[in-house]
Amino acid sequence: MRAAWYERLGSAAEVIGVGEQPTPSAGPGEVRVKLQASGVNPADVKRRSGLARYTSMDGPLVIPNSDGAGIVDQVGAGVGDHWLGQRVWLYNGQRGGRALGTAAEYIALDAGLVTPLADDVSFSAGACLGIPGMTAHYGVFSDGPVRGKTVLVTGGAGAVGHYAIQLATWAGAKVIATVSGPEKAAEAEAAGAEATVNYRNQDVGKAVLDLTDGAGV
């Protein structure tokens, strides 16, 4: 299969190679996904670069990227045939000690890390669900339910911010989002934000107090 990989840490231009690698097979409890899109997250870049706490590699050869989407084309022992042909999104491809991620034509991984993808959702969108979606969910709900509360989402037009707005709105909260301009405000509002604050030209604290009649978020 075609893949991108690195065998040492460093800048992308210096360490990433592209070419042929062995095509994986689905092991027990696993499915194999023929990937249609691969998602790149900051953690993937840090792992390859050796930044922050990522000072060692997960294997002698690493195919990067945790998130992805595609079609299941093979199942391993103990996995139902109903998975075959399913459109799916997945996470933790290159993460948690796994060296072979989604920057490839195929990936084999535990079926528990794979979720059906609705027919009306593109593979590109599916490949952006994993880490951003989990981060947003944790950020919104780590202190409990938000129904009836006002939630401030910083960076409401980014991937994590967009999902956070959607999740908080679906859970019954009113959302105020910070943005950097009119286009970003439109994106945040489309996701469900009731109000936006432009942090480039507004005092965010004052604006939030004004929007909440002094109650805060």
Side-chain angles (χ1 to χ4, degrees), residues 64-88:
N65 299 355
S66 173
D67 296 339
I71 299 171
V72 175
D73 78 330
Q74 188 183 80
V75 297
V79 180
D81 288 344
H82 67 278
W83 278 105
L84 291 171
Q86 283 239 35
R87 303 172 82 252
V88 297

Side-chain angles (χ1 to χ4, degrees), residues 104-173:
E105 289 184 293
Y106 293 90
I107 187 172
L109 76 170
D110 190 289
L113 302 176
V114 178
T115 301
L117 182 68
D119 290 340
D120 61 348
V121 178
S122 70
F123 289 117
S124 296
C128 296
L129 286 171
I131 290 175
M134 289 187 289
T135 303
H137 185 275
Y138 183 81
V140 171
F141 298 112
S142 59
D143 279 336
V146 296
R147 179 171 296 278
K149 297 183 178 182
T150 301
V151 174
L152 176 67
V153 174
T154 58
V160 174
H162 186 93
Y163 293 138
I165 292 170
Q166 289 184 308
L167 291 169
T169 300
W170 292 341

Side-chain angles (χ1 to χ4, degrees), residues 17-106:
V18 178
E20 292 293 323
Q21 290 292 331
T23 301
S25 296
E30 293 184 335
V31 299
R32 185 176 72 182
V33 179
K34 182 174 175 57
L35 290 155
Q36 305 296 311
S38 177
V40 185
N41 288 283
D44 300 314
V45 176
K46 291 175 183 176
R47 280 187 174 83
R48 186 257 306 147
S49 303
L51 297 175
R53 66 181 185 273
Y54 305 110
T55 56
S56 61
M57 294 180 37
D58 288 322
L61 183 147
V62 173
I63 294 175
N65 299 355
S66 173
D67 296 339
I71 299 171
V72 175
D73 78 330
Q74 188 183 80
V75 297
V79 180
D81 288 344
H82 67 278
W83 278 105
L84 291 171
Q86 283 239 35
R87 303 172 82 252
V88 297
W89 64 274
L90 59 96
Y91 65 98
N92 281 4
Q94 202 280 293
R95 196 176 177 88
R98 283 185 46 83
L100 307 180
T102 64
E105 289 184 293
Y106 293 90

